[in-house]
Amino acid sequence: MKFKVKQFFKMFSQHIIFPMIYFLNKWKKVDGKLVVLADAHHDSCPPHMLEIRDKLIEKNYKVREYFVDISKLSSLRGLISLAGFMRIYPSCGTVIICDNFLPVASCRKKKETKVIQLWHGCGAFKKFGYDATYDIPKGYKGNVYRNYDLVTVSGKKCIPHFESAMNAYGKVLDTGVCHTDRLFDDQYITGCKDRFAKYYPKAKGKKVFLWAPTFRGNAGMANLVGEAEIDKLGESDKLSDAYIIKSIHPHLLEKKDSETMNTDELMVCVDVLITDYSSVFYEALLLGIPVIFFAPDYDKYSMDRGFYLEYNSLPGYVVTCFEELEKAVIKTISGEDEYKEIRDKFIGDYMLGCDGNATERVMSIISRRM
């Protein structure tokens, strides 16, 4: 019932309240130097926007940040908070988002205002958006991705999948994904490793495995699968040389304790990634980290959501039960690496835009359009 009430408020806001507020403020002149960074899942700048925000400030753009985590608010308070964005939307030169942000799609925007979707993941893996079952509720009316002028992706092979998922044909470019620039920044990596040593002293001298699963269902009703097996792995007598860290998806953090370091920060400090259907594995490829794909509910998940890739052709061990997972971990600890060539091929197909210069390419597009 709570989920249905929130969906009603979303549609009521998008089709009536937000367009009305935009219309009442439409008289405002578009300021080409005004860039608004917006997100409805964080109270502060999301990690995936940090690079572009810092570069915009460096280039003397008028940067305004509009961040509110609506999951922490009632439907009414969420509506009121997001309504504030609609008052400045008519005067924006550029709006930048990195996830679904319904106010952007709630009205017919001015042509002078450009909307850039950075997205928060690399590559193309599990189906999402209009290609998926759960992402957009059946009763939802409208286009979640309306008004986009540019969607940035990590490589050419991602383009057709993002075009289909977002109904954004002709608007997707393989500029690279801005937040991956930090993976080429020695200062960032050193800082993460220093923090890791402080927060995880027991990991010293061991092979560190990071479990970073995606969520099941949709963002409003998310759940987790596979944690019992991961806990069992940590208790195995055969794996005394392994140290396992769990990094839960942000949509599940309200059900779990918050992490000391987020997944992006942990990634540069660990030896092996264990995931299921998360596109975070593409970032592991850039870092040269082996990947184990642990999918205990593969049959159900593949039927419910599906993939853009052939799951059994992924660049790492693909396992579905604890026994297989334990064997894969033991092989990895021993130094076996039979997937390096496949990982390199995946980088060539899906990650060539992520070379440390993605933010500069996006900035170039913004400046030309201004």
Side-chain angles (χ1 to χ4, degrees):
M1 178 60 71
K2 183 179 179 182
F3 178 72
K4 289 183 178 179
V5 170
K6 282 202 168 187
Q7 290 305 310
F8 170 78
F9 265 90
K10 280 183 180 180
M11 286 191 286
F12 180 73
S13 302
Q14 185 174 10
H15 295 295
I16 298 176
I17 301 298
F18 292 161
M20 180 179 68
I21 296 173
Y22 187 92
F23 177 78
L24 292 174
N25 289 273
K26 202 171 182 179
W27 58 270
K28 296 177 180 177
K29 184 179 179 181
V30 172
D31 182 349
K33 294 289 286 185
L34 174 60
V35 181
V36 174
L37 308 179
D39 187 81
H41 304 283
H42 297 81
D43 289 325
S44 58
C45 188
H48 304 97
M49 284 188 179
L50 291 173
E51 281 72 21
I52 195 74
R53 182 196 64 178
D54 292 348
K55 187 62 68 173
L56 287 163
I57 293 173
E58 178 187 317
K59 298 293 184 182
N60 295 317
Y61 281 84
K62 300 174 185 176
V63 178
R64 292 188 63 176
E65 300 180 15
Y66 202 89
F67 305 125
V68 55
D69 187 347
I70 60 172
S71 69
K72 298 178 181 178
L73 305 175
S74 67
S75 296
L76 180 59
R77 288 190 64 194
L79 186 158
I80 293 170
S81 296
L82 293 178
F85 169 82
M86 298 306 296
R87 286 191 286 270
I88 58 176
Y89 192 11
S91 59
C92 296
T94 304
V95 176
I96 300 177
I97 56 180
C98 65
D99 207 330
N100 294 343
F101 188 72
L102 290 182
V104 157
S106 65
C107 62
R108 186 185 297 276
K109 71 172 177 65
K110 298 176 181 178
K111 290 183 178 180
E112 303 99 305
T113 299
K114 305 302 179 184
V115 175
I116 298 176
Q117 171 63 270
L118 299 180
W119 205 235
H120 51 273
C122 297
F125 190 6
K126 64 180 184 289
K127 291 185 177 180
F128 70 100
Y130 286 102
D131 290 342
T133 304
Y134 295 114
D135 284 3
I136 301 170
K138 291 181 180 179
Y140 178 82
K141 305 295 182 184
N143 182 354
V144 175
Y145 307 107
R146 180 184 181 186
N147 285 333
Y148 289 1
D149 294 284
L150 171 65
V151 180
T152 65
V153 295
S154 57
K156 284 190 181 299
K157 278 208 169 184
C158 307
I159 292 175
H161 303 308
F162 274 75
E163 287 182 331
S164 173
M166 294 183 174
N167 286 333
Y169 296 94
K171 299 176 182 178
V172 184
L173 293 178
D174 56 331
T175 58
V177 176
C178 292
H179 76 262
T180 63
D181 286 356
R182 72 189 69 165
L183 302 181
F184 298 85
D185 183 345
D186 291 338
Q187 186 175 351
Y188 169 78
I189 292 174
T190 299
C192 289
K193 289 184 176 181
D194 288 344
R195 290 181 62 208
F196 185 85
K198 175 183 176 181
Y199 291 126
Y200 300 95
K202 292 181 180 179
K204 186 176 181 179
K206 295 194 174 185
K207 197 84 167 181
V208 183
F209 290 75
L210 174 65
W211 182 54
T214 191
F215 64 93
R216 309 306 195 270
N218 59 44
M221 300 177 67
N223 58 84
L224 184 65
V225 171
E227 188 171 23
E229 289 87 344
I230 296 297
D231 289 339
K232 186 178 177 181
L233 196 68
E235 298 167 359
S236 173
D237 294 334
K238 300 177 183 178
L239 303 175
S240 58
D241 292 333
Y243 187 87
I244 299 171
I245 298 172
K246 295 188 288 187
S247 186
I248 307 302
H249 193 282
H251 289 322
L252 293 157
L253 282 180
E254 63 179 357
K255 302 176 185 178
K256 300 285 180 182
D257 293 333
S258 296
E259 305 296 333
T260 304
M261 296 173 68
N262 64 39
T263 302
D264 294 337
E265 295 166 335
L266 288 168
M267 188 79 71
V268 303
C269 305
V270 304
D271 300 297
V272 183
L273 171 70
I274 302 175
T275 189
D276 42 23
Y277 318 113
S278 174
S279 62
V280 72
F281 89 83
Y282 283 103
E283 286 146 81
L285 300 185
L286 283 182
L287 292 165
I289 299 173
V291 184
I292 297 173
F293 296 91
F294 173 50
D297 61 340
Y298 169 76
D299 290 337
K300 183 178 187 306
Y301 195 91
S302 61
M303 289 291 292
D304 288 349
R305 182 176 286 270
F307 305 98
Y308 295 115
L309 307 174
E310 177 60 45
Y311 200 79
N312 287 322
S313 68
L314 292 170
Y317 294 106
V318 175
V319 297
T320 58
C321 66
F322 173 77
E323 290 73 22
E324 293 174 344
L325 174 61
E326 187 178 49
K327 288 178 183 177
V329 170
I330 291 172
K331 285 183 178 180
T332 307
I333 291 176
S334 71
E336 289 189 30
D337 189 3
E338 57 191 272
Y339 291 95
K340 186 181 185 308
E341 288 186 11
I342 303 176
R343 293 203 303 270
D344 291 343
K345 184 179 187 307
F346 263 74
I347 291 173
D349 288 343
Y350 294 97
M351 297 295 288
L352 275 188
C354 298
D355 57 0
N357 299 300
T359 303
E360 288 291 351
R361 283 191 284 271
V362 176
M363 285 296 302
S364 178
I365 291 171
I366 293 173
S367 64
R368 288 202 306 271
R369 291 184 174 181
M370 290 302 98

